[in-house]
Amino acid sequence: MSQYPELTAAQLKEESGRLKKEYKAIAAKGMKLDLSRGKPDHTQLEISNGLLNALTDTAAIFAEDGTDCGNYGMLEGIPEARRLMAGMLDVNPDEVFVGGNSSLNMMHDCLGIAYLHGLPSSPAPWCKLPRVKWLCPAPGYDRHFMVTEHYGIEMIMVPMTPTGPDMDLVEELVAADSAIKGMWCIPKYSNPTGVTYSPETVRRLAALRPAAPDFLIFWDNAYAVHDLHPDEPDELISLTDCLREAGNPNMALLFTSTSKVTFPGSGIAAMAASKENLSYFLRHFSFQTISYDKLNQLRHARFFGDIGGMRRHMRSHAGFLAPKFQVVLDTLQKQLGGLGVAEWNTPRGGYFISLNTLEGCAKRTVELCKAAGVTLTPAGATFPYGADPLDRNIRIAPTYATPEDARTAAELLGLCIKLASAEKLLGRCVRSRAS
Ligand code: PMP
């Protein structure tokens, strides 16, 4: 079949009639599948069950430095957990703070602290300023955008490219506007584009010369060890080294967690920063808690031993995940290849496939899928304010479904993209004939 955009109105009409029939037959099956959130499936969770028995008696709950993990204390985290998470973040253990169960929680709280109290380099707390702005590479992570929106921060979209955010634009914007106080970054296997920032992007970010003296990069390395091809992982160069070289040691906070390594919601989260920033934020955290869950930190440290143990564990995850990604990619290719109606990435890690439809077709596609029983992340969610200016991007999360369900859902998605595209193109033909 020719590319859809080249079809005549009559051909499009015929094609859309055929697709509608096919769609109705599938919708009548009443299926119920969900590809909306990036979650491990239950078999993946089971490989972490050893955590549940990692601490067997009260004699075993002392950290390597003698800290009693059953008691208050050690706000910054126990040494073996700091070492483990330093391995994930590619920093020194003394630059790491291990907190509770969620890195998103940490990011939210760090932003809240800067908002209410400012940073050591802030002329004023951000809440006292008439406007605070934030750079949001997009497509990006919806929950990041919700955090900045929640604080009333004005979000500025920066397009993602295959090497990371559009750096020409980032450099220009931060240099020109002191109201721009920060930026979201997901540097490895980005959510949802799968992009790993190139060395040049990391160096340019580290060397930014923002007009705001308290500009802060939120470097969310959520997928640091989530390679789908562990023998050929993407390499991310060290932001911390680049910041030091560029004379900007305080310009970033690094985050990660074991949410998609062990148990989402019951893992451990960590943050790395310069000594100055770490002690500043720890002082603020000390007002909100006496100490975090060190038993869980100890469990994780004992279960993995070291970062090598975690990497071996991640190989097992890749074994579960790679076939699901492949099934979805193969199905999309089979359904949509050569039709000129969609393009998508082939991720090498992380939890998502990012797909772009023709302009103006993403919302309709997601709506059609939903009505036929497949839930996707809402169209637009990958952009600030939930608004995709071109209405093109769809995030696919193939991890939670079985491979069979992932195939069925991808087949329906392909069909819905074709139907939405045929409708859109037909509408254009009718409008151009009328004008
Ligand atoms: N950051 C990114 C980029 C994510 O994709 C996710 C999970 N979907 C999170 C953070 C959430 O991490 P946590 O469970 O540690 O809060």
Side-chain angles (χ1 to χ4, degrees):
M1 140 109 36
S2 328
Q3 295 224 339
Y4 272 32
E6 284 159 15
L7 296 181
T8 62
Q11 287 169 322
L12 282 167
K13 213 168 178 178
E14 193 188 327
E15 180 68 356
S16 113
R18 189 187 65 73
L19 293 166
K20 263 185 203 143
K21 263 195 212 139
E22 207 182 318
Y23 175 79
K24 269 192 189 147
I26 295 179
K29 290 184 189 164
M31 61 178 162
K32 215 170 171 353
L33 299 174
D34 193 337
L35 298 192
S36 68
R37 300 299 328 175
K39 297 196 292 193
D41 76 6
H42 194 73
T43 19
Q44 274 181 273
L45 297 184
E46 281 176 348
I47 67 169
S48 298
N49 279 355
L51 266 177
L52 304 175
N53 303 316
L55 303 179
T56 45
D57 56 51
T58 48
I61 62 169
F62 291 89
E64 64 187 26
D65 65 349
T67 298
D68 186 343
C69 295
N71 220 327
Y72 279 142
M74 294 289 268
L75 180 64
E76 68 275 29
I78 59 172
E80 49 269 66
R82 293 176 81 188
R83 207 161 50 234
L84 180 70
M85 301 312 274
M88 282 184 86
L89 286 169
D90 193 15
V91 295
N92 297 320
D94 64 354
E95 295 167 315
V96 174
F97 147 65
V98 184
N101 68 326
S102 158
S103 59
L104 188 68
N105 190 164
M106 276 181 173
M107 292 177 242
H108 170 274
D109 286 355
C110 287
L111 209 142
I113 290 163
Y115 189 77
L116 285 172
H117 305 282
L119 300 178
S121 53
S122 293
W126 296 355
C127 64
K128 301 272 189 209
L129 305 174
R131 284 173 104 179
V132 178
K133 301 182 194 170
W134 205 265
L135 299 189
C136 299
Y141 179 36
D142 53 351
R143 291 186 192 273
H144 281 167
F145 303 150
M146 286 179 212
V147 171
T148 22
E149 186 169 7
H150 188 56
Y151 279 96
I153 292 174
E154 187 181 321
M155 294 183 277
I156 303 171
M157 195 195 104
V158 174
M160 274 296 281
T161 78
T163 53
D166 176 341
M167 284 309 301
D168 290 343
L169 184 60
V170 170
E171 285 166 350
E172 190 187 313
L173 288 169
V174 301
D177 189 350
S178 62
I180 300 177
K181 295 290 189 184
M183 175 176 182
W184 294 116
C185 289
I186 310 168
K188 192 167 172 194
Y189 305 135
S190 207
N191 175 353
T193 58
V195 164
T196 296
Y197 290 12
S198 69
E200 192 198 341
T201 298
V202 179
R203 284 192 201 103
R204 287 176 74 177
L205 280 165
L208 286 174
R209 292 285 175 255
D214 49 355
F215 177 84
L216 197 56
I217 295 171
F218 276 50
W219 191 253
D220 178 3
N221 206 351
Y223 300 103
V225 290
H226 302 61
D227 313 298
L228 284 172
H229 307 286
D231 292 322
E232 299 170 316
D234 281 6
E235 297 292 347
L236 176 70
I237 66 165
S238 162
L239 175 72
T240 314
D241 288 349
C242 294
L243 286 168
R244 273 192 210 108
E245 279 159 27
N248 276 332
N250 296 325
M251 206 174 62
L253 303 177
L254 286 65
F255 302 91
T256 196
S257 79
T258 65
S259 284
K260 288 165 192 173
V261 177
T262 58
F263 299 125
S266 303
I268 53 175
M271 156 180 161
S274 67
K275 282 217 167 67
E276 189 183 344
N277 276 338
L278 208 58
S279 65
Y280 181 77
F281 281 101
L282 271 172
R283 195 176 75 79
H284 282 282
F285 287 136
S286 76
F287 301 121
Q288 67 185 49
T289 187
I290 303 175
S291 57
Y292 292 93
D293 181 351
K294 292 185 299 301
L295 289 174
N296 203 26
Q297 296 180 14
L298 188 60
R299 258 184 232 120
H300 278 75
R302 294 246 170 100
F303 181 60
F304 290 120
D306 58 18
I307 185 69
M310 188 187 283
R311 289 194 187 280
R312 284 191 291 282
H313 185 81
M314 293 312 290
R315 266 182 192 272
S316 309
H317 278 302
F320 290 113
L321 292 177
K324 295 188 188 189
F325 276 83
Q326 202 52 54
V327 141
V328 172
L329 293 166
D330 290 347
T331 309
L332 291 175
Q333 182 58 32
K334 210 159 121 194
Q335 291 272 334
L336 304 170
L339 295 184
V341 290
E343 50 192 29
W344 56 91
N345 67 324
T346 301
R348 302 186 42 75
Y351 263 61
F352 303 100
I353 296 169
S354 175
L355 179 144
N356 283 331
T357 63
L358 295 178
E359 282 182 34
C361 290
K363 268 209 173 83
R364 176 68 177 144
T365 299
V366 171
E367 197 177 275
L368 284 166
C369 281
K370 178 110 190 142
V374 170
T375 307
L376 296 164
T377 310
T382 51
F383 284 77
Y385 306 107
D388 174 356
L390 299 178
D391 185 23
R392 291 180 69 196
N393 190 249
I394 296 178
R395 183 181 84 161
I396 307 167
T399 60
Y400 190 66
T402 63
E404 212 25 68
D405 285 350
R407 182 195 317 276
T408 310
E411 277 167 0
L412 179 73
L413 171 61
L415 176 65
C416 294
I417 291 172
K418 287 192 274 190
L419 187 49
S421 309
E423 286 174 358
K424 187 84 194 171
L425 292 164
L426 200 52
R428 269 187 218 156
C429 292
V430 171
R431 271 198 306 279
S432 68
R433 226 181 292 142
S435 60

